[in-house]
Amino acid sequence: MKHATVINIQKYSVHDGPGIRTTVFFKGCPLKCWWCHNPESQNPGHEIMFFEERCTNCGVCIKRCPQKAVEVQEKYPKTDESKCTLCGKCTDFCPNSAKEYVGKDITAQELMKEIIKDEVFYDESGGGVTFSGGEPLVHIDFLNEILKLCRERGIHTTLDTSGFVKWEKLEEIADKIDLFLYDIKLMNNERHLKYTGVENVNILRNLKKLSDKGCNIYIRMPIISGINDDDENINEAIKFVSSLNILQVNLLPYHKMGMDKYRRLKMQYNLTGMEKPSNERMEEIKGKFKNSGIKIEIGG
Ligand code: SF4
Ligand code: SF4
């Protein structure tokens, strides 16, 4: 039986496709976007998040750790990662929920049981299930299996993807996806590489192929001031999108809600001090898309 690692199965989502949805957040992503607000989704393995503001330095995790991986430090306990086996005991026993386990392995059948619990909401609202992350295509075999189960049951499926995958893999599942939420970020390849860690050539090529295939596509474009909101990038994006057959574009203004998670995971955050783009600039960008005849919304 195939397993995938998920972070969360979020019920009653209304921003990840039409109607009321269950959104499955997979763990693992080949991109490392500077503005990522789900950094816990990047590493494919299990992890532990540490909320230092909740920790009272009670020492329970030190006593409970079977590997003696946790040591007393000046203010907070410190984990020696070379000894830690990620058994999760310290998270189970912490009386203050200062440690949180991230990652749960699940089979397609187990996930399906969760998905169908809310079938009545999908039917009434025109919703369904959205596979998000991280990058769901990292778990392509699992995705194939769960998509087949959803199709058999008539559940609408949406894939939220960066599109960074070999075309053959994407083509394999494309016909089983009812709607794509497909990200574009930066049109210039060097800038894309700098800010996401990967090149954009395959991403844009795959998007064009999905469009040629007649797939239903919403394009999502995060807007980050000084990184991709310049006229040159916006104009290039509009030119490219105009050549496609897509349903709409959603502009997603940068927000810093994921910032604290970087500290909790001991990851570096490169956008400290970054503010969300102004409403005026968002409206300007929206207007540019609209003037080119593209259906566009801010948010979503
Ligand atoms: S058990 Fe929790 S509160 Fe106590 S020291 Fe460990 S992390 Fe801190
Ligand atoms: S996850 Fe397990 S091995 Fe790692 S620090 Fe916690 S109790 Fe120790």
Side-chain angles (χ1 to χ4, degrees):
M1 229 181 287
K2 294 176 189 78
H3 284 83
T5 307
V6 298
I7 300 167
N8 186 19
I9 301 168
Q10 188 176 295
K11 306 292 188 114
Y12 315 115
S13 302
V14 289
H15 296 296
D16 300 313
I20 297 173
R21 313 193 67 81
T22 293
T23 303
V24 182
F25 292 91
F26 286 92
K27 200 155 160 40
C29 183
L31 278 67
K32 306 280 173 276
C33 303
W34 284 25
W35 51 88
C36 177
H37 59 272
N38 285 332
E40 74 277 32
S41 69
Q42 293 182 2
N43 178 342
H46 296 188
E47 290 175 282
I48 292 175
M49 267 201 198
F50 181 53
F51 295 73
E52 59 188 31
E53 66 279 15
R54 296 182 194 161
C55 175
T56 56
N57 211 359
C58 68
V60 168
C61 55
I62 297 170
K63 289 190 201 99
R64 292 287 184 169
C65 176
Q67 305 299 326
K68 305 206 180 323
V70 193
E71 292 169 2
V72 192
Q73 290 279 309
E74 210 175 289
K75 203 165 172 205
Y76 303 116
K78 186 165 184 291
T79 304
D80 178 345
E81 271 147 34
S82 67
K83 291 185 188 164
C84 174
T85 57
L86 290 168
C87 70
K89 288 217 163 61
C90 56
T91 62
D92 294 344
F93 288 105
C94 173
N96 300 308
S97 306
K99 290 188 173 198
E100 206 171 88
Y101 203 82
V102 188
K104 177 178 160 56
D105 294 339
I106 193 166
T107 65
Q109 285 68 24
E110 285 164 345
L111 179 55
M112 198 60 197
K113 271 190 202 158
E114 281 305 308
I115 290 170
I116 60 178
K117 280 182 190 166
D118 294 320
E119 225 169 0
V120 61
F121 297 108
Y122 314 148
D123 293 345
E124 281 174 11
S125 68
V129 59
T130 298
F131 301 107
S132 184
E135 175 52 70
L137 292 169
V138 166
H139 306 273
I140 186 89
D141 293 338
F142 180 94
L143 252 193
N144 247 322
E145 200 173 335
I146 191 77
L147 286 167
K148 187 165 165 277
L149 294 173
C150 289
R151 194 43 65 93
E152 281 167 7
R153 215 157 158 125
I155 295 175
H156 181 276
T157 56
T158 294
L159 179 71
D160 180 9
T161 182
S162 68
F164 186 76
V165 68
K166 283 194 174 142
W167 169 247
E168 294 71 32
K169 293 281 180 195
L170 194 52
E171 192 179 25
E172 203 179 313
I173 58 155
D175 291 335
K176 300 184 201 121
I177 306 277
D178 294 309
L179 174 67
F180 282 86
L181 305 180
Y182 201 108
D183 292 359
I184 60 171
K185 292 150 180 142
L186 281 144
M187 300 306 291
N188 176 279
N189 196 33
E190 284 77 46
R191 286 168 70 191
H192 196 279
L193 179 61
K194 175 177 176 186
Y195 290 111
T196 72
V198 303
E199 298 194 353
N200 67 8
V201 182
N202 265 346
I203 293 173
L204 299 178
R205 199 183 288 147
N206 285 344
L207 177 53
K208 176 81 176 90
K209 286 180 176 174
L210 285 179
S211 160
D212 290 347
K213 217 172 145 41
C215 295
N216 294 320
I217 305 167
Y218 285 12
I219 287 181
R220 311 236 275 188
M221 186 170 183
I223 300 293
I224 307 102
S225 305
I227 291 185
N228 75 342
D229 71 331
D230 54 285
D231 281 348
E232 187 190 340
N233 187 53
I234 299 300
N235 293 341
E236 276 295 304
I238 291 172
K239 196 168 143 206
F240 180 62
V241 170
S242 300
S243 73
L244 305 173
N245 180 22
I246 55 114
L247 296 170
Q248 70 176 61
V249 174
N250 289 79
L251 298 176
L252 309 175
Y254 163 84
H255 61 74
K256 45 181 145 185
M257 279 180 317
M259 194 170 75
D260 289 346
K261 294 184 194 172
Y262 284 78
R263 198 184 66 245
R264 289 170 188 151
L265 289 163
K266 296 193 213 123
M267 290 169 71
Q268 185 182 322
Y269 190 62
N270 290 331
L271 295 184
T272 305
M274 172 68 74
E275 293 299 330
K276 68 179 183 115
S278 67
N279 292 341
E280 292 73 26
R281 184 59 184 150
M282 290 304 298
E283 286 300 329
E284 264 172 33
I285 296 172
K286 181 181 171 186
K288 280 170 171 277
F289 276 89
K290 209 170 165 189
N291 291 341
S292 299
I294 298 164
K295 187 167 180 239
I296 178 117
E297 278 178 20
I298 297 176

